[in-house]
Amino acid sequence: MKQFEANFDGLVGPTHNYAGLSFGNVASYSNAAQASNPKAAAKQGLQKAKALADLGMVQGVLAPQERPDLYTLRRIGFSGTDAEVLQKAAKQAPALLNACCSASSMWTANAATVSPSADTRDGKVHFTPANLVDKLHRSIEPLTTGNILKATFNNDRHFKHHLHLPEHANFGDEGAANHTRLCSDYGKAGVELFVYGQSATNPNAPKPVKYPARQTLEASQAVARLHQLEDESCVFMQQNPDVIDQGVFHNDVISVGNQNVLFYHEQAFLDTEAKFAEISRKMNSEVHFIKVSTEQVSIDDAVRSYLFNTQIITLPNGEMAIVAPTDCQENPAVFAYLNELTTLGTPIKQVKYFDVKQSMQNGGGPACLRLRVAMNEQEIAAVNQHTLMNDALFNKLNSWVEKHYRDTLTVADLADPQLIIESRTALDELTQILKLGSVYQFQK
Ligand SMILES: NCCC[C@H](NC(=O)CCC(=O)O)C(=O)O
């Protein structure tokens, strides 16, 4: 049976804005309070998704969340009509309103951790939504994420959906951004590499001092248990706390893998040599560890350009390509490195650049925008087919964005009650386009 790795990109929601909500994420902080362009953001995302579909990749989309999140605002004591709730929050607690208006669900690398059926004991594809407890604006995503995943991977025979982990710092979980699956072929059992920022229960273990480590070892272990993975197919590796303190808030800002390739910065991990030996032993086949040295690319350049927040994809002809943001072209050291990379004799043979600047300004590159789901033909046939990218869906979604999205949005605009109506109208129509049923609270 044929095997694929599908990418499910998050559609950018109508409230995409720059509120500076993510302490430890340099781009989010430095672009705080700029005006955003939700329409351009959504179109940039669609262009990338469509280009991958055109390359012959299996490409899907995941619906965004309902924002403003009036349910959370009511839960914390704002009352009255929807408009009153919004306006009271804007006046009394603007930071809470901002947290309830983020379009952050667009970064679907943080939607969930996914284990393909080749790795799991029951032969199903397992999904655990990330609880995202480290950031208030993201901690309100997991329940709706679960609804959207169930409506997209809507078949009990092939897909197993878990509840997100307990909402406590000990179980801080950021999903696939800290999870890489290595394998010789998508359909063969692989090694699942879980990269954590700190151990919550071991006070002596290293941890960052300036910025938060969002992923715990305990969370990664819990996901591995839920997903019925064998010990022999898991590796738990700690991220270097020094790079977290330099703005590497997720492992996918400093390394990315695909099949038998792990592309990484030499400062990415702790205990690198021993852990790579464990990966090689558990893989039982050749792994290409492609190391980038500090001399070639500094941590600062990696964080600014998102060299490692690229997607490495295997094209239908078997060659690998790297999908990079145009910011990598604009950084001389990174651009020089990428030009050289394709000549080094590694499986990576080409680089494709995409403008995803609207997302980059909030610290989300090409890899943040997608959730990978390795599936065989039968599993792909069991996916909600209306979520899979093709010419018709691309055209429909572009017209939908054109019709409903604003081309400028400031943080002050988040208090505008009209945004509730616009957003709900757009999402209601989207659930019809994608045939998701009622996944949002306002539809229940
Ligand atoms: N994987 C990329 C995630 C980026 C995301 N940024 C944000 O939420 C910024 C939102 C703002 O500042 O408005 C985060 O840090 O979790």
Side-chain angles (χ1 to χ4, degrees):
M1 207 183 317
K2 280 198 182 157
Q3 313 288 334
F4 303 86
E5 183 174 79
N7 286 289
F8 281 78
D9 280 39
L11 294 174
V12 178
T15 63
H16 162 65
N17 72 91
Y18 302 122
L21 300 175
S22 280
F23 177 61
N25 167 344
V26 179
S28 155
Y29 254 47
S30 55
N31 291 304
Q34 285 209 29
S36 65
N37 184 336
K39 187 177 278 184
K43 288 192 171 179
Q44 287 172 354
L46 285 172
Q47 287 292 349
K48 169 171 93 77
K50 179 61 163 51
L52 264 70
D54 288 345
L55 286 170
M57 308 297 294
V58 180
Q59 177 71 52
V61 294
L62 290 173
Q65 307 229 342
E66 181 194 351
R67 297 287 181 271
D69 180 350
L70 290 151
Y71 308 92
T72 298
L73 290 172
R74 287 183 190 281
R75 187 175 160 193
I76 55 179
F78 297 104
S79 58
T81 63
D82 287 348
E84 282 164 0
V85 166
L86 205 64
Q87 281 165 346
K88 282 181 194 169
K91 204 160 156 215
Q92 295 169 30
L96 294 178
L97 175 66
N98 294 350
C100 290
C101 288
S102 177
S104 52
S105 67
M106 66 202 260
W107 299 296
T108 50
N110 311 119
T113 306
V114 184
S115 296
S117 56
D119 295 355
T120 62
R121 278 195 293 276
D122 64 359
K124 292 187 182 185
V125 185
H126 286 242
F127 297 81
T128 298
N131 61 20
L132 301 168
V133 286
D134 187 64
K135 298 282 176 270
L136 175 62
H137 70 290
R138 305 220 60 182
S139 70
I140 55 181
E141 294 177 28
L143 278 179
T144 303
T145 298
N147 291 344
I148 292 167
L149 288 172
K150 284 178 201 152
T152 307
F153 302 92
N154 183 10
N155 183 307
D156 292 345
R157 209 159 77 85
H158 294 292
F159 306 119
K160 173 79 188 159
H161 295 277
H162 301 279
L163 184 63
H164 57 278
L165 299 180
E167 291 133 354
H168 184 273
N170 280 16
F171 286 109
D173 180 20
E174 301 276 321
N178 296 315
H179 173 256
T180 307
R181 177 175 183 257
L182 299 167
C183 59
S184 55
D185 189 36
Y186 293 126
K188 299 232 171 77
V191 168
E192 300 204 11
L193 173 60
F194 291 86
V195 181
Y196 61 94
Q198 68 172 320
S199 165
T201 49
N202 175 1
N204 300 321
K207 55 170 166 238
V209 292
K210 186 173 165 201
Y211 290 146
R214 299 198 202 179
Q215 180 86 33
T216 67
L217 169 62
E218 291 76 2
S220 298
Q221 288 168 331
V223 171
R225 264 191 305 273
L226 283 169
H227 289 196
Q228 303 184 18
L229 304 178
E230 302 293 348
D231 289 347
E232 267 311 291
S233 63
C234 292
V235 175
F236 299 92
M237 194 168 182
Q238 184 163 2
Q239 214 186 326
N240 176 0
D242 290 348
V243 299
I244 297 180
D245 279 338
Q246 292 171 69
V248 182
F249 57 97
H250 286 142
N251 174 60
D252 69 1
V253 177
I254 197 86
S255 85
V256 53
N258 175 51
Q259 290 182 326
N260 60 358
V261 168
L262 186 66
F263 177 54
Y264 72 104
H265 192 279
E266 65 175 344
Q267 293 189 55
F269 310 110
L270 290 184
D271 206 11
T272 309
E273 230 171 278
K275 287 293 170 182
F276 281 10
E278 185 183 343
I279 293 172
S280 294
R281 182 177 61 76
K282 291 182 170 175
M283 277 283 280
N284 210 8
S285 61
E286 192 194 7
V287 186
H288 298 269
F289 293 103
I290 307 177
K291 172 166 99 176
V292 180
S293 68
T294 308
E295 209 179 310
Q296 287 168 303
V297 176
S298 67
I299 297 293
D300 188 52
D301 280 343
V303 171
R304 280 171 199 276
S305 67
Y306 267 36
L307 167 62
F308 298 95
N309 201 265
T310 42
Q311 297 174 243
I312 303 177
I313 56 174
T314 302
L315 298 167
N317 70 5
E319 280 184 8
M320 291 193 196
I322 190 160
V323 173
T326 46
D327 308 67
C328 286
Q329 280 175 308
E330 290 154 19
N331 180 305
V334 170
F335 189 50
Y337 176 80
L338 279 172
N339 283 336
E340 199 191 327
L341 173 63
T342 51
T343 67
L344 295 180
T346 77
I348 303 172
K349 302 295 181 206
Q350 29 174 319
V351 189
K352 304 211 173 276
Y353 293 98
F354 291 91
D355 178 0
V356 288
K357 280 199 189 297
Q358 283 288 322
S359 169
M360 284 288 289
Q361 289 179 172
N362 251 340
C368 291
L369 285 161
R370 61 91 172 96
L371 182 66
R372 292 187 277 187
V373 188
M375 288 180 283
N376 61 37
E377 280 171 308
Q378 272 183 359
E379 290 157 351
I380 291 176
V383 171
N384 172 345
Q385 301 294 300
H386 304 281
T387 63
L388 296 179
M389 185 55 81
N390 52 34
D391 290 346
L393 183 63
F394 179 70
N395 292 334
K396 267 190 215 167
L397 291 175
N398 265 303
S399 318
W400 170 78
V401 168
E402 193 57 54
K403 178 168 153 199
H404 296 286
Y405 280 52
R406 298 190 186 188
D407 55 16
T408 176
L409 195 67
T410 64
V411 170
D413 295 331
L414 302 176
D416 175 5
Q418 187 58 32
L419 201 57
I420 305 174
I421 298 164
E422 283 171 28
S423 173
R424 286 183 176 169
T425 309
L427 294 182
D428 203 39
E429 197 175 309
L430 181 68
T431 54
Q432 291 164 44
I433 297 173
L434 302 178
K435 305 239 184 311
L436 296 178
S438 301
V439 289
Y440 301 114
Q441 299 228 32
F442 76 89
Q443 296 176 314
K444 300 207 176 206

